[in-house]
Amino acid sequence: MSIDKQRRVQPLCEAPGKDFVSFLDVPVDTDIDNLVADAAILGVPYGIPYAVGQGRSASAPDYIRKKSHRFMRATGNARNLDRDCREVNLSNIIIADCGNVFTDPANIHGSIAGVTEAVKKILRKNAVPIVFGGDDAIPIPVIRAYEEFGPIVVIQIDEHLDFADEINGVREGYSSPMRRVSEMPWVKQTVQIGLHGFTCAKQFATATDAGNILITENEVHDRGIDAILEQIPSGENYFITVDFDGLDPAVFPAVSHPEPGGLNYHETRDLLSGLAKKGRIAGIDFAEMVPDHDLNGLSGHTVGRLVVNMLHAMIEARQFVNHGL
């Protein structure tokens, strides 16, 4: 069935299941054609995998939502101890949860265009998309939505370059997201942060030749986030894509193949907050979380605190144009 025929009986976004809970318990609004929000949560369970059935991250969007309820106090008057005890009140902006993009796991290639369509609709309402994946192929359809809203600078946090042209005939799968993103004309610059471990020499050379700014985990630890922010162009619209294996498994164990190294919580938090001061955060996606690998909810809670701190920094920088400060 074509995606157009699916739409006649299936809405673009849905709040799946009777047990669905929204991020921070904000209102659910799956009617994105009439969305009124400053920031919009969107779940994308599936990208394009190597083969059907590779969906260990498909439950991550709903898992992140459930774990976020630990931070409900941030939606009222509170002190943010993460950010120098400053006052935080997310009720100063309108946050809506748009549910998950409908994707038929048996017809991912035919329905993945719905991801781009959903993000584009959110952007047209002047809301900032906060996308929870899903596998790390999702940045491709998400960033495609910015064609009308560029140029953007893409900031990637990841252990890997993800700069292959294709693997097993798949050009929009797990190892090629940043290659496809860098080819989009509205992407002005790509900055890849937190690289560690080992990578294909060909991918490294190709990413360097493309003009990407490559920053290793060691450089982050040795020089500090302020020095890393200096390497990023100022005054730009930033789209941030976070592959969770770019974080230290000590704070984020819920990935498919945990390995030593990665950004710690404070470095990641300060990078997101620093980008809000340096320019404008135009959107963010999170990918490659495997809830079954989590430890006592630690990874889920890490995501919640990162998002709350980023939103707090964006409010302080007066980045919301609809109803927020």
Side-chain angles (χ1 to χ4, degrees), residues 33-166:
D33 285 314
N34 297 296
L35 180 68
V36 177
D38 297 295
I41 308 299
L42 184 69
V44 180
Y46 296 96
I48 295 178
Y50 294 125
V52 173
Q54 293 183 325
R56 290 183 298 174
S57 295
S59 62
D62 293 346
Y63 180 80
I64 291 169
R65 289 175 168 113
K66 290 178 181 178
K67 294 301 179 183
S68 75
H69 285 214
R70 184 181 181 92
F71 309 108
M72 289 289 295
R73 60 180 63 89
T75 60
N77 290 318
R79 290 283 177 174
N80 189 343
L81 304 183
D82 277 357
R83 306 191 69 243
D84 300 327
C85 302
R86 283 174 277 187
E87 291 185 4
V88 57
N89 188 344
L90 296 187
S91 64
N92 287 328
I93 60 173
I94 298 177
I95 306 171
D97 194 321
C98 299
N100 295 342
V101 177
F102 172 75
T103 309
D104 180 356
N107 183 25
I108 292 175
H109 288 77
S111 55
I112 202 67
V115 177
T116 302
E117 182 179 347
V119 176
K120 193 176 295 185
K121 286 177 180 289
I122 290 170
L123 291 169
R124 286 173 177 163
K125 295 297 182 178
N126 292 319
V128 177
I130 300 174
V131 180
F132 297 143
D135 58 68
D136 74 348
I138 69 165
I140 301 172
V142 170
I143 297 174
R144 278 199 178 120
Y146 284 78
E147 182 176 8
E148 302 172 17
F149 304 92
I152 57 174
V153 171
V154 173
I155 311 294
Q156 177 203 27
I157 299 174
D158 200 341
E159 176 182 359
H160 308 104
L161 282 167
D162 286 349
F163 220 77
D165 188 37
E166 63 86 22

Side-chain angles (χ1 to χ4, degrees), residues 146-218:
Y146 284 78
E147 182 176 8
E148 302 172 17
F149 304 92
I152 57 174
V153 171
V154 173
I155 311 294
Q156 177 203 27
I157 299 174
D158 200 341
E159 176 182 359
H160 308 104
L161 282 167
D162 286 349
F163 220 77
D165 188 37
E166 63 86 22
I167 292 182
N168 297 335
V170 177
R171 302 188 76 245
E172 298 196 358
Y174 296 133
S175 294
S176 57
M178 299 313 295
R179 179 73 170 266
R180 299 287 85 83
V181 165
S182 71
E183 295 167 350
M184 298 177 189
W186 49 95
V187 175
K188 184 176 181 179
Q189 176 70 63
T190 303
V191 185
Q192 301 181 257
I193 302 174
L195 303 168
H196 57 284
F198 307 93
T199 193
C200 170
K202 183 177 180 180
Q203 285 192 40
F204 185 87
T206 306
T208 302
D209 291 344
N212 292 11
I213 298 173
L214 308 182
I215 300 172
T216 66
E217 166 207 14
N218 287 336

Side-chain angles (χ1 to χ4, degrees), residues 9 18 28 58 79 135 175 178 181 198 243 264-265 272 306:
V9 295
K18 63 180 182 180
V28 176
R79 290 283 177 174
D135 58 68
S175 294
M178 299 313 295
V181 165
F198 307 93
D243 184 319
N264 62 37
Y265 170 76
L272 300 183
L306 287 174

